[in-house]
Amino acid sequence: MKDILTIFTDIHDGNLAYHVGDKKTNVDKNRKTLALKYNYDYEKLVSMNQTHGNNVQIVDFSSEKIIDDCDGLITNIKDLPLMVMVADCIPILLHDEEKGVIAALHAGRNSTFLKIVEVAINRMKENFGTNPLDIKATLGPSIQKCCYELSVELSNIVKTSFGSEFVDGRNIDLQAINKAILKENGVVNIEDYEICTKCTSKVHYSYRKNPKTGRFAGIIKL
């Protein structure tokens, strides 16, 4: 991506979430160290109190630094870093390379069912005139189909709502669902890290591996 910062942190960058029982001073220190490492202004970083919904907010320098009840951030402001925190859910970063618009999305199971990427693309179209063909979408490390087993009831919901091709027994392919939604909405430039946080990665937090865990992040900045 040209003129843009897109990163996915790992356990070496420490826990970046305030809601997992860590001391605030530790999280502040980790966030400040990360900002120095990647040369952005720690004071400007915008993150979310994520609730597994599909509320996507447009933010600027006057916005709160932690947006409540929110799972997606969009901006066209330069040097305003956006952060999504995860530990198995999919961190999705979007960049409209023509209009200079970015988004950071938290695509867990519920947010995926609620088509958060579609909500974000529609907001980018309505507010900034984005053409989906100009969007580069990046899916960061997350739990993959190999390890993402759900109840029979939930796997049946996926079959009914999205199609049986996204279900293998009781294992769900959240990445494939999000990529299908992206493609349905006109996005063709899609990158997927294809790293499973639970079984293949040794350097990412995984809630399914250990419920007492930190959060790593996807960060994007123009």
Side-chain angles (χ1 to χ4, degrees):
M1 290 184 179
K2 57 192 177 186
D3 305 322
I4 190 165
L5 172 74
T6 56
I7 54 168
F8 296 102
T9 71
D10 60 32
I11 56 174
H12 301 108
D13 299 305
N15 166 51
L16 298 169
Y18 292 111
H19 69 284
V20 295
D22 201 351
K23 289 181 183 167
K24 183 180 184 298
T25 49
N26 288 344
V27 181
D28 287 344
K29 179 169 171 279
N30 291 339
R31 288 188 174 202
K32 285 173 184 170
T33 303
L34 192 69
L36 286 170
K37 180 178 175 180
Y38 290 105
N39 193 30
Y40 63 82
D41 187 343
Y42 161 79
E43 300 288 347
K44 292 177 181 170
L45 180 74
V46 182
S47 60
M48 303 172 272
N49 280 328
Q50 298 162 189
T51 56
H52 299 275
N54 67 350
N55 182 18
V56 179
Q57 296 285 333
I58 295 166
V59 295
D60 58 28
F61 286 131
S62 67
S63 302
E64 296 287 329
K65 290 303 164 226
I66 300 178
I67 309 291
D68 269 332
D69 183 25
C70 185
D71 288 273
L73 301 169
I74 297 172
T75 196
N76 68 340
I77 308 291
K78 288 190 175 171
D79 296 318
L80 185 66
L82 309 180
M83 178 165 83
V84 52
M85 292 170 292
V86 290
D88 284 338
C89 295
I90 312 171
I92 300 180
L93 305 179
L94 304 179
H95 177 211
D96 172 351
E97 300 179 306
E98 288 303 312
K99 293 285 196 297
V101 184
I102 54 173
L105 309 174
H106 171 239
R109 182 180 71 229
N110 286 359
S111 300
T112 297
F113 288 2
L114 295 168
K115 298 190 174 182
I116 191 168
V117 288
E118 184 170 277
V119 173
I121 291 164
N122 285 337
R123 296 214 71 183
M124 290 168 76
K125 282 157 65 174
E126 289 157 14
N127 291 275
F128 302 105
T130 288
N131 178 344
L133 289 172
D134 298 326
I135 294 176
K136 164 87 185 283
T138 308
L139 283 68
S142 52
I143 195 164
Q144 305 283 317
K145 184 175 77 170
C146 49
C147 293
Y148 196 50
E149 188 178 26
L150 298 180
S151 66
V152 173
E153 183 186 18
L154 282 170
S155 52
N156 284 336
I157 287 171
V158 174
K159 284 181 194 171
T160 306
S161 301
F162 298 102
S164 57
E165 68 268 29
F166 301 110
V167 183
D168 183 3
R170 284 168 43 201
N171 286 46
I172 310 302
D173 194 338
L174 278 188
Q175 290 75 17
I177 294 172
N178 279 284
K179 285 188 276 191
I181 296 168
L182 284 162
K183 288 171 187 168
E184 283 164 15
N185 284 276
V187 178
V188 293
N189 189 358
I190 303 170
E191 179 186 3
D192 184 356
Y193 271 56
E194 295 182 353
I195 294 169
C196 181
T197 42
K198 184 166 185 243
C199 74
T200 55
S201 175
K202 300 281 188 283
V203 294
H204 293 97
Y205 297 114
S206 168
Y207 184 83
R208 284 221 166 182
K209 198 154 54 182
N210 177 11
K212 285 191 174 179
T213 192
R215 298 292 183 272
F216 69 96
I219 297 174
I220 187 165
K221 175 185 77 77
L222 288 166

